[in-house]
Structure formats: structure tokens, C-alpha cells
């Protein structure tokens, strides 16, 4: 089985396993105690903190360990917002942040705060000027991921940090996807990360808060981890996390070159092997091992099952997966296809032979899904140069399939109105028009769902 989903969780690094086992016998005691076992545990914890701080690029007393990356994000956002409440309650996030950031923003908004979402382009990247425009006198905090978790696009953190610093606004960087590859550039104020993303054990997060940033920890007071992460420290897991971070950093430069070559091979060959495919994300400013593409006329969940049967573990940001019935917020913000979306994220050490085998089985897997899915005969009503396709009650990609089948039945300049009550159609039909050089006129109200109007240009 080829595991191609390291962006979700990387396999445990051998160094992490060794450190975890070794520290189980030494790091079980309470590091706050003064007896021998406690002092031994404290030495392990302090050494892990020093190693992690060096990898992050901060002081050891600026970094605490949390129970997860999500907890680090929630604590970081809540703490800065509370500490800077006198300045205001305005929060800035990008439209493609991880759900942990967006959920924290929703809680802040429900509590009376205000939130501005900064838009991204079709590659998934923000611009520093967009953050500059979003800044206000009452802005308490801005958030930006270092690299996107679904499409791999790297964000201009240094440029955004400079803009925020000039305005006196702290910038929180979610570095979960990139920290294993190197330090985050720029004058950031708060940084979060998660150990299982770089091959450490799950259940360990990092929260770094620079000196001088106003921060008020929320929740009941706890003396551990500078009061910013309540609960007894999982010292063996923390030691393993720090050890694996140091290990993957030592291998990062050489492995990045190798994985970039493999992902570039996928980016270049998939469109020639599979018809009607859109490769998404920035072609250059992206994580070394991540490549994402969307296949027209394919159900994402079915394609993942087909690839799983062929021996490949991949993930999807498609609208049609078991975890969600709505399009991925990342793909929606980018304005790209959500249907048939596949994210390949290669773990360090992924063999080139596995990539070649993936490329050999992908065309057959996509063809099999398209054949299984079929396309029900569209119910059409012709009215002069307007054709109506009734796709109500049918989930994407069926509305797009039916649109593609009938677009040639209207003259150039004529329109097709696709009736659909699937939320994914709002994203997929405009994206299909972009791919096929047809004009997306817009959305009109209908008795059920909406009517998506497309004008034939060729």
C-alpha cells in the first residue's frame, strides 16, 4: 500500500519512535517536582523545548507545548484577542485557512467581534496588499497559514508580516504544514504547529508567542507551560516530537529536491494521461510533496475508493466525500473545480516507483469511475436559443455532466440554464466554464435550488 496522504498525518519518523520508547522510562514523573524523578523529567522537557525553539526560531521561554495543533491555534487566537481587547475586536483571516482558524473566527464573531476574510486568487495565494487593505484601527490580530493544507500553496508570510508589523498588529502563523521543511520567514508574532504533520506523535502541538505580544491565556488558571497550556505534559511524546523535528530538518533540503521532482512529474503528466483534468495550486510556490488536481465528471469519494482498491491512500477536498456534503472552503475560495478532487501528498522517502505506478493506474481508475457514475439522460426543454437542464435532486458532478452533454445543442451565443439544488454546483459550473472557455453568466433564483446560466462561446 502506498501512503500518499502525509499532509493529513505523516508516518511516525524512526527517530520519533526511538525517542518515544527511550523517554517512557525517564519522562513519566511530574516535572514540577524537586525529587530525582521529577528533575529527570524536567531535564527532558527543557531539552525538548530548547530543540523545538531552535527549529522554530524563537526563544525557549516563548514556546509552550499543547495537546494538539488545533489547541495551539485556538489558544493562540483567543489569548491574543483577549490581550489586545482594548485595541479592538477586529480579526483578519484568509479565506483558505485551516478549519481550526476559521472555527475560532466564528466563535469570536458570535461573541460580538468582527472578522474580515481576505480573498485569494486561483492559485490559493493571498497578497500583502489585501492584508494592508483589511487592516483597521481596531484590528487586534491577523492570521495567515504558512502553506495551504489542501493545495500546497505557500503564502507570502514575510510580506504580510511586514505590513502587519508596520500597523502594530500581531500576525499569527499556522505553520502546521511547513515547519518540518524549515523555519517560517518574516517577523511573525505568534506561531502554531502540530507534531504529527512532520512525523512526530499525535497529541503534541507548539505555540510560540514572541516577547512583547500582549497575551491573556483564557480558561481556568494553570501553572504548567507558562499558564498557556493546561494539563500534565506528555513528556515522552514531547521528546519524540522535538527529536523528530530536528531529524526531518536535517533531511529536509535533500528530500525537498527529490519530492519536488516527483510532484512535478505528477503535475506534468496527469493532464496528458487523463482528459478533463485541472491541476490546482501555485505551480512554483508550493510545498515539496503536495500536488492537487480535479477531474471533471468524477465523484470524489468514488475515485478515492477506486484508488484505495489499487493500493493508494490519497485524500480529497471534493464536495462529494463522506466527511462533508458541501464544497471545500479552500477550493470554493480559489474558484476551481471541487468535483473529483485528489490531493497527493508524498511522505519523505516515498519511492519513485510508487509514483510511476500511481500514474499508470490513475487513468483506468478515473475511467472506471466515470463509467460507473454514468450520466442520466438530461431532461431538456428547448426554447429558441435557450436550453433548460433539470438536474434537481442530482449531486455533482451530474449537473456538470449534463451541462457538458447539451452545450453543443444550442447555437453559439445561446444559453443553457442548469437547474440544481446541490451547493457544489455553485462552484463547479463556473469552474467548468473557465476550463472549457464558455461564459458563466450568473445565478438566477428558481423555485427549487438555483438556475446557473451558461452562454456558449464556441
Amino acid at each position: 500500500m502506498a501512503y500518499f496522504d502525509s499532509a493529513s498525518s505523516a508516518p511516525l519518523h524512526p527517530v520519533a519512535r526511538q525517542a518515544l520508547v527511550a523517554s517512557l522510562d525517564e519522562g513519566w514523573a511530574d516535572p514540577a517536582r524537586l525529587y530525582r524523578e521529577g528533575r529527570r523529567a524536567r531535564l527532558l522537557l527543557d531539552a525538548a523545548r530548547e530543540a523545538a525553539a531552535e527549529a522554530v526560531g524563537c526563544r525557549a521561554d516563548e514556546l509552550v507545548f499543547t495537546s494538539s495543533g488545533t489547541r495551539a491555534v485556538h489558544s493562540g487566537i483567543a489569548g491574543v484577542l483577549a490581550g489586545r481587547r482594548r485595541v479592538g475586536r477586529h480579526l483578519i483571516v484568509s479565506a483558505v485557512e485551516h478549519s481550526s482558524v476559521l472555527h475560532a473566527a466564528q466563535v469570536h464573531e458570535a461573541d460580538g467581534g468582527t472578522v474580515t476574510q481576505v480573498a485569494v486568487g486561483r492559485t490559493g495565494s493571498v497578497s500583502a496588499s489585501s492584508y494592508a487593505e483589511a487592516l483597521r484601527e481596531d484590528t487586534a490580530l491577523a492570521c495567515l497559514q504558512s502553506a495551504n493544507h489542501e493545495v500546497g500553496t505557500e503564502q507570502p508570510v514575510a510580506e504580510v508580516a511586514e505590513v502587519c508589523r508596520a500597523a502594530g498588529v500581531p500576525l499569527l502563523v499556522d505553520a502546521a504544514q511547513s515547519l518540518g521543511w524549515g523555519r517560517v520567514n518574516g517577523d511573525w508574532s505568534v506561531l502554531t504547529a502540530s507534531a504529527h504533520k512532520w512525523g512526530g506523535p499525535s497529541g503534541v502541538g507548539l505555540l510560540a508567542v514572541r516577547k512583547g505580544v500582549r497575551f491573556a491565556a483564557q480558561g481556568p488558571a494553570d501553572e504548567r507551560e507558562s499558564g498557556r497550556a493546561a494539563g500534565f505534559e506528555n513528556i515522552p511524546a514531547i521528546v519524540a516530537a522535538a527529536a523528530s523535528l530536528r531529524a526531518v530538518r536535517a533531511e529536509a533540503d535533500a528530500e525537498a529536491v527529490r519530492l519536488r521532482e516527483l510532484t512535478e512529474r505528477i503535475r506534468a503528466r496527469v493532464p496528458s494521461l487523463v482528459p478533463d483534468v485541472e491541476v490546482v495550486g501555485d505551480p512554483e510556490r508550493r510545498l515539496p510533496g503536495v500536488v492537487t488536481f480535479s477531474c471533471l465528471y468524477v465523484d470524489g469519494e468514488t475515485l478515492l475508493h477506486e484508488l484505495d482498491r489499487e493500493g493508494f491512500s490519497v485524500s480529497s477536498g471534493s464536495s462529494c466525500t463522506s466527511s462533508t456534503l458541501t464544497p471545500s472552503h479552500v477550493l470554493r475560495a480559489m474558484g476551481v473545480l471541487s468535483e473529483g478532487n485528489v490531493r497527493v501528498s508524498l511522505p519523505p522517502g516515498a519511492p519513485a516507483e510508487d509514483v510511476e505506478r500511481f500514474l499508470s493506474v490513475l487513468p483506468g481508475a478515473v475511467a472506471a469511475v466515470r463509467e460507473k457514475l454514468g450520466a442520466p439522460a438530461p431532461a431538456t426543454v428547448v426554447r429558441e436559443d435557450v436550453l433548460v437542464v433539470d438536474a434537481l435532486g442530482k449531486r455533482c458532478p451530474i449537473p456538470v455532466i449534463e451541462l457538458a452533454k447539451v452545450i453543443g445543442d444550442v447555437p453559439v451565443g445561446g444559453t443553457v440554464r442548469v437547474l440544481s439544488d446541490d451547493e457544489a454546483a455553485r462552484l463547479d459550473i463556473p469552474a467548468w466554464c473557465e476550463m472549457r472557455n464558455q461564459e458563466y453568466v450568473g445565478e438566477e433564483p428558481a423555485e427549487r435550488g438555483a438556475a446557473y446560466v451558461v452562454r456558449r462561446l464556441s
Side-chain angles (χ1 to χ4, degrees):
M1 192 76 180
Y3 182 75
F4 285 179
D5 194 23
S6 66
S8 292
S9 187
L12 192 66
H13 194 282
V15 168
R17 186 182 303 277
Q18 294 167 6
L20 182 64
V21 172
S23 58
L24 285 172
D25 291 333
E26 299 291 330
W28 52 268
D30 187 345
R33 302 306 175 204
L34 299 180
Y35 42 70
R36 180 184 306 170
E37 294 86 354
R39 294 197 306 272
R40 191 178 298 142
R42 169 56 64 181
L43 285 173
L44 288 174
L45 181 59
D46 288 346
R49 196 184 314 279
E50 289 281 353
E54 181 183 3
V56 168
C58 66
R59 293 169 34 163
D61 59 356
E62 294 174 329
L63 184 144
V64 300
F65 296 103
T66 66
S67 58
S68 68
T70 295
R71 173 50 58 194
V73 166
H74 291 172
S75 298
I77 291 176
V80 176
L81 288 174
R84 287 175 49 82
R85 186 157 184 157
R86 288 186 179 180
V87 173
R89 304 201 63 199
H90 178 230
L91 171 66
I92 301 173
V93 300
S94 84
V96 293
E97 294 299 312
H98 188 268
S99 58
S100 59
V101 173
L102 298 183
H103 290 163
Q106 290 170 359
V107 169
H108 175 62
E109 199 166 28
D111 190 42
T114 57
V115 177
T116 295
Q117 274 199 14
V118 176
V120 300
R122 284 186 66 84
T123 64
S125 179
V126 303
S127 66
S129 60
S130 296
Y131 268 75
E133 292 171 3
L135 289 167
R136 306 186 328 205
E137 289 187 2
D138 63 339
T139 301
L141 175 65
C143 300
L144 179 63
Q145 59 190 191
S146 55
N148 186 259
H149 50 291
E150 287 192 25
V151 300
T153 296
E154 294 179 329
Q155 300 290 1
V157 173
E159 294 90 332
V160 172
E162 184 178 352
V163 166
C164 291
R165 179 67 65 181
V169 174
L171 176 68
L172 182 149
V173 178
D174 171 14
Q177 291 295 336
S178 73
L179 192 60
W181 296 108
R183 289 184 179 179
V184 176
N185 294 325
D187 196 9
W188 50 265
S189 303
V190 182
L191 182 142
T192 65
S194 186
H196 73 100
K197 300 289 188 178
W198 66 68
S202 59
V204 179
L206 305 182
L207 171 61
V209 182
R210 298 280 199 196
K211 294 295 182 183
V213 176
R214 291 187 176 275
F215 190 97
Q218 299 302 285
D222 192 290
E223 70 278 7
R224 297 182 186 274
E225 294 300 296
S226 304
R228 293 175 180 173
F232 195 94
E233 297 94 341
N234 185 349
I235 294 178
I238 288 171
V239 169
S244 59
L245 180 56
R246 176 179 289 178
V248 298
R249 281 289 190 82
E251 305 160 355
D253 289 345
E255 191 61 14
V257 171
R258 198 182 69 86
L259 291 186
R260 284 190 190 280
E261 191 279 326
L262 292 178
T263 52
E264 190 57 42
R265 191 181 306 179
I266 297 173
R267 289 181 65 90
R269 289 176 56 185
V270 164
S272 64
L273 293 171
V274 181
D276 299 314
V277 163
E278 179 181 21
V279 181
V280 300
D282 196 290
E284 296 179 359
R285 291 190 57 162
R286 56 186 173 84
L287 293 171
V290 179
V291 57
T292 306
F293 55 89
S294 298
C295 306
L296 270 173
Y297 322 132
V298 169
D299 172 77
E301 184 176 10
T302 306
L303 180 56
L304 296 196
H305 287 316
E306 192 71 27
L307 290 171
D308 182 53
R309 280 192 288 270
E310 294 286 351
F312 294 96
S313 301
V314 299
S315 65
S316 174
S318 172
S319 58
C320 301
T321 62
S322 57
S323 61
T324 178
L325 294 178
T326 58
S328 151
H329 71 276
V330 172
L331 301 178
R332 182 194 296 118
M334 293 169 61
V336 298
L337 286 172
S338 71
E339 63 188 53
N341 178 265
V342 174
R343 180 187 67 184
V344 174
S345 49
L346 305 176
E353 295 77 14
D354 285 351
V355 171
E356 285 300 322
R357 190 166 67 85
F358 175 78
L359 291 170
S360 69
V361 305
L362 180 65
V366 173
V369 172
R370 285 172 174 166
E371 184 178 358
K372 285 179 184 177
L373 185 64
T380 62
V381 179
V382 178
R383 186 173 67 248
E384 297 177 353
D385 62 345
V386 178
L387 186 146
V388 179
V389 176
D390 185 354
L392 293 169
K394 299 168 185 173
R395 292 202 174 280
C396 279
I398 298 301
V400 179
I401 290 174
E402 296 190 355
L403 168 61
K405 281 191 159 189
V406 304
I407 190 70
D409 293 344
V410 297
V412 173
T415 59
V416 177
R417 299 176 78 249
V418 182
L419 304 177
S420 177
D421 50 6
D422 181 8
E423 176 70 17
R426 180 169 285 113
L427 175 65
D428 288 343
I429 289 176
W432 178 90
C433 292
E434 179 82 17
M435 281 186 67
R436 291 307 185 87
N437 296 316
Q438 307 295 349
E439 180 186 356
Y440 178 64
V441 178
E443 179 182 337
E444 297 178 352
E447 284 189 26
R448 280 180 57 200
Y452 301 94
V453 183
V454 176
R455 177 173 289 111
R456 181 184 175 190
L457 299 181
S458 60

